[in-house]
Amino acid sequence: MALWHHFIKWTAATLSNPWKEDLPQLALSCDYLLHGILATSALHLGYRSDPKEKERYDYLASQHQDLALGPFQQAMLTIGAENASQLFAFSTLLMVFNFASYRSREYLFPFSDGAGEYQGLSNWMACLRGSSSIVYAATKHVEAGPLGFVVTAGRQMQLAVVDGAVPHPEVDQSLSLLTETALNMPAIKTTTTVDEMEAYIDAIKRLRALLAASARGLESVLQRITTAIWVGAVSETFLRLLNERRAPALIIMTHY
């Protein structure tokens, strides 16, 4: 009850309006969303509390997150009108948990030195991909729910990038060099299939659109949503190339 009270009174205000009333109401009949809320509240309490209490709250957060994951994964098998909002809401809390968790810093960047033996892509990238998959699978149901503004904001971003819009000149020049020079280097061309080259070009095109939209001075929430779209939209082929640490994929990710 203390975690629930803290979320309603304090944590929700750090997220967005639906987390103050609409989503807690949904959580009362959804076990994984309820535990996700309690896990997020525990992390927030640990952040605000005496450092001596942080370990206890981090442990509580992990407990509730563990209780949430099984039912969430089961519910992901059948996405529909009755659970799309709950699934999408919990997926956004997963991202919050990954960014706010004491374990997240070492995994923030793909293949970072601090990750030790962990060699895969960052957890937050997987979370963003998961959230995007829910939206793609049940767009109209998510749009009709409390977090529908996220879908609307995504459309706003696409409208913000009118034909011919470009990012900052220095960034635009860098992306052009990547497309016209780096991808045409013999060492790259001879080791890259047609599908892989198309994945690189598509990722650069989407990144150019993202950076063009960002250069237009978007408001904070729209900026964050816009930034998240790229990770959810790039192809599985590009993610494989990134996971293989192929040089063009790493350079593209560095621009992102």
Side-chain angles (χ1 to χ4, degrees):
M1 291 303 297
L3 293 178
W4 182 259
H5 176 263
H6 181 82
F7 185 90
I8 300 298
K9 188 168 178 61
W10 302 107
T11 309
T14 71
L15 299 173
S16 60
N17 284 334
W19 288 105
K20 294 178 181 178
E21 292 183 11
D22 296 340
L23 291 170
Q25 184 69 36
L26 273 182
L28 294 176
S29 57
C30 179
D31 52 358
Y32 57 84
L33 184 54
L34 178 61
H35 284 296
I37 284 175
L38 297 177
T40 307
S41 179
L43 279 183
H44 194 218
L45 264 169
Y47 171 76
R48 290 170 56 103
S49 300
D50 186 296
K52 296 177 182 177
E53 294 288 300
K54 186 176 186 305
E55 186 175 350
R56 180 170 73 88
Y57 283 120
D58 285 343
Y59 178 69
L60 278 173
S62 295
Q63 278 190 313
H64 282 291
Q65 193 74 341
D66 289 345
L67 288 168
L69 288 174
F72 169 70
Q73 291 165 347
Q74 185 65 32
M76 279 288 290
L77 298 175
T78 52
I79 304 173
E82 69 287 347
N83 66 358
S85 290
Q86 293 91 324
L87 287 169
F88 185 57
F90 181 78
S91 74
T92 65
L93 287 183
L94 270 179
M95 285 186 282
V96 172
F97 190 87
N98 273 283
F99 282 124
S101 171
Y102 69 98
R103 296 171 294 183
S104 67
R105 291 189 187 94
E106 62 209 76
Y107 303 118
L108 184 57
F109 299 106
F111 319 115
S112 60
D113 291 338
E117 295 181 1
Y118 180 78
Q119 298 297 319
L121 296 176
S122 303
N123 284 337
W124 63 267
M125 296 181 70
C127 290
L128 278 174
R129 298 281 289 184
S131 286
S132 298
S133 71
I134 295 169
V135 173
Y136 293 140
T139 303
K140 65 179 182 180
H141 302 311
V142 173
E143 194 170 17
L147 290 174
F149 72 93
V150 175
V151 179
T152 304
R155 290 202 182 99
Q156 283 181 274
M157 187 280 283
Q158 293 172 340
L159 293 174
V161 187
V162 296
D163 290 338
V166 294
H168 185 279
E170 185 178 353
V171 176
D172 191 48
Q173 182 184 25
S174 187
L175 290 175
S176 295
L177 282 170
L178 179 56
T179 305
E180 297 162 10
T181 305
L183 293 184
N184 285 312
M185 292 173 65
I188 299 298
K189 292 186 73 172
T190 57
T191 58
T192 305
T193 67
V194 173
D195 286 345
E196 290 170 346
M197 190 64 74
E198 289 176 352
Y200 287 142
I201 293 170
D202 176 71
I204 294 170
K205 178 182 176 182
R206 293 179 185 279
L207 186 56
R208 188 185 297 273
L210 160 64
L211 295 171
S214 299
R216 298 170 72 93
L218 304 173
E219 62 174 90
S220 177
V221 173
L222 185 56
Q223 178 77 51
R224 281 178 283 167
I225 293 170
T226 300
T227 303
I229 287 173
W230 184 81
V231 175
V234 292
S235 68
E236 288 292 336
T237 300
F238 177 78
L239 285 186
R240 173 179 61 78
L241 294 167
L242 183 59
N243 208 31
E244 293 172 359
R245 305 194 191 195
R246 303 278 280 274
L250 291 172
I251 296 170
I252 294 167
M253 187 66 189
T254 303
H255 279 78
Y256 171 72

